[in-house]
């Protein structure tokens, strides 16, 4: 029916952009090439995207040139080509650069910017996904629609860390600490010993020897004479100037939910504790800011007064 719709179609694209395409070629490409492209992608086979969009977009513009006022040869084909690229791929700048590199028609820059931007906006509003990700989504793969910075990247450890109020000496017997924590639990924890879930263990010089968890201590034997320094495990640490995204990756790597915050000095000083709940707090802050940033502006009027004109 239309053999010129087969292949990459460079000759057809050239004829459309230079204004030498006939009405039969324009209609044939619009109908046949669109049908071929849809069947190819819809059947699950591997099909090209760029060249078919060039042909369909150019043919669409050439059809518009039959109705719209004449500007220059191939002007409407070029503008429509940029619009199709911007709408289908949702990358208007890519479509504009492609068209400029293909034709060097700098005078069509502003019309291409308007067309590609409008097409991209219409695609985002009406369609859930672009043609580049639809096939992946149909295979059950999770895809995000936005390319944005990780919200945890905008928060530092020092902004959300909790001070390490309770520390224990490495030479202190574990059973003594267990008895202390159990007594605090029975008394309602008046000194806040149980509010902390991770306890730094310091040696005789005040340097960090490791960490012990509240759960490990409170369920231990009160008669255990083993020094805490022998029971402490190596601490997974964070620094005050690190981002919460780095901490989230470190927690996943070491399979822990709390990190000890230490300074970057030659002899690190214990500064605080940060855990999974702090990461959730940071995300809640971002959600709160997004909600307030998207609120609809309303104008309030005094009772009995006429509504304000806008």
């Amino acid at each position: 029916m239309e053999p010129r719709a087969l292949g990459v179609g460079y000759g057809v694209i050239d004829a459309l952009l230079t204004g030498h395409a006939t009405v039969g070629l324009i209609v044939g490409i619009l109908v046949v090439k669109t049908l071929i492209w849809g069947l190819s992608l819809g059947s699950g086979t591997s099909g090209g995207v760029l060249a078919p969009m060039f042909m369909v977009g150019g043919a669409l513009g050439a059809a518009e040139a039959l109705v719209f006022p004449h500007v220059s040869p191939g002007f409407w084909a070029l503008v429509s080509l940029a619009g199709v690229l911007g709408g289908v791929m949702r990358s208007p700048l890519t479509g504009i650069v492609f068209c400029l590199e293909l034709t060097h028609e700098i005078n069509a820059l502003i019309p291409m910017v308007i067309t590609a931007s409008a097409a991209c906006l219409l695609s985002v509003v009406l369609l859930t996904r672009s043609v580049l990700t639809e096939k992946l989504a149909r295979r059950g793969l999770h895809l995000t629609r936005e390319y944005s910075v990780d919200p945890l990247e905008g928060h530092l450890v020092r902004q959300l860390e909790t001070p390490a109020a309770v520390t224990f000496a490495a030479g202190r017997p574990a059973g003594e600490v267990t008895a202390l924590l159990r007594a605090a639990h029975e008394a309602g924890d008046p000194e806040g010993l149980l509010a902390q879930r991770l306890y730094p263990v310091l040696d005789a010089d005040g340097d960090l020897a490791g960490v012990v968890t509240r759960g490990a201590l409170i369920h231990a034997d009160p008669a255990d004479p083993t020094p805490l320094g022998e029971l402490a495990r190596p601490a997974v640490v964070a620094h005050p100037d690190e981002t919460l995204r780095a901490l989230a990756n470190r927690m996943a790597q070491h399979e822990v939910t709390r990190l000890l915050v230490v300074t970057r000095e030659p002899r690190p000083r214990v500064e605080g504790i940060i855990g999974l709940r702090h990461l959730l707090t940071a995300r809640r802050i971002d959600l709160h800011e997004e909600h307030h940033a998207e609120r609809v502006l309303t104008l309030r009027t005094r009772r009995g007064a006429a509504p304000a004109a806008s």
Side-chain angles (χ1 to χ4, degrees):
M1 293 177 58
E2 184 54 69
R4 289 171 292 184
L6 301 174
V8 294
Y10 291 147
V12 174
I13 296 172
D14 179 75
L16 294 170
L17 293 180
T18 55
H20 296 123
T22 63
V23 176
L25 176 62
I26 295 171
V27 175
I29 293 300
L30 271 179
V31 176
V32 179
K33 188 62 178 179
T34 302
L35 184 62
I36 292 175
W37 189 37
L39 291 174
S40 175
L41 295 182
S43 63
T45 60
S46 178
V49 174
L50 195 58
M53 283 192 297
F54 272 41
M55 295 179 68
V56 174
L60 178 63
E64 295 169 352
L66 301 176
V67 181
F68 294 163
H70 177 76
V71 178
S72 62
F75 171 80
W76 291 109
L78 179 62
V79 172
S80 294
L81 198 158
V84 170
L85 285 177
V88 174
M89 299 180 63
R90 294 189 182 178
S91 52
L93 293 180
T94 301
I96 295 168
V97 171
F98 270 177
C99 294
L100 286 178
E101 185 180 8
L102 191 66
T103 64
H104 297 174
E105 186 63 39
I106 193 66
N107 294 327
L109 176 60
I110 294 179
M112 284 193 295
V113 169
I114 296 173
T115 306
S117 302
C120 180
L121 177 62
L122 188 65
S123 174
V124 171
V125 171
L126 297 182
L127 302 178
T128 304
R129 289 172 289 269
S130 71
V131 69
L132 301 178
T133 57
E134 178 66 28
K135 291 176 68 175
L136 295 175
R138 291 186 180 185
R139 294 175 184 173
L141 300 177
H142 174 67
L143 298 169
T144 57
R145 293 183 57 189
E146 299 180 0
Y147 301 91
S148 59
V149 177
D150 189 337
L152 297 180
E153 191 73 23
H155 298 274
L156 299 178
V157 172
R158 65 166 62 98
Q159 297 173 334
L160 294 169
E161 63 176 312
T162 301
V166 182
T167 60
F168 294 116
R172 193 169 185 178
E176 181 181 326
V177 178
T178 297
L180 178 66
L181 296 180
R182 290 184 179 181
H185 177 70
E186 294 174 358
D189 194 25
E191 298 180 2
L193 295 177
L194 300 178
Q196 191 169 313
R197 294 177 177 265
L198 191 68
Y199 301 110
V201 178
L202 307 179
D203 60 17
D205 296 327
D207 296 330
L208 181 64
V211 293
V212 291
T213 62
R214 185 186 67 183
L217 288 175
I218 204 168
H219 294 100
D221 184 4
D224 187 2
T226 307
L228 279 180
E230 297 182 12
L231 298 178
R233 67 186 185 188
V236 182
V237 301
H239 300 290
D241 57 350
E242 288 186 299
T243 65
L244 295 188
R245 179 184 181 185
L247 263 63
N249 295 335
R250 195 169 305 153
M251 288 179 183
Q253 179 182 359
H254 294 278
E255 297 182 354
V256 296
T257 57
R258 291 175 186 82
L259 302 178
L260 207 60
V261 182
V262 299
T263 60
R264 292 186 181 272
E265 303 170 356
R267 295 182 60 183
R269 177 175 53 86
V270 177
E271 188 174 285
I273 299 172
I274 192 164
L276 185 60
R277 67 181 181 88
H278 297 95
L279 272 62
L280 298 178
T281 299
R283 188 65 185 114
R284 187 166 60 250
I285 292 174
D286 288 313
L287 291 175
H288 177 75
E289 292 177 351
E290 291 176 5
H291 170 74
H292 283 267
E294 296 175 356
R295 286 185 305 175
V296 179
L297 179 62
T298 57
L299 299 179
R300 296 182 178 180
T301 59
R302 291 178 299 175
R303 182 175 299 178
S310 59

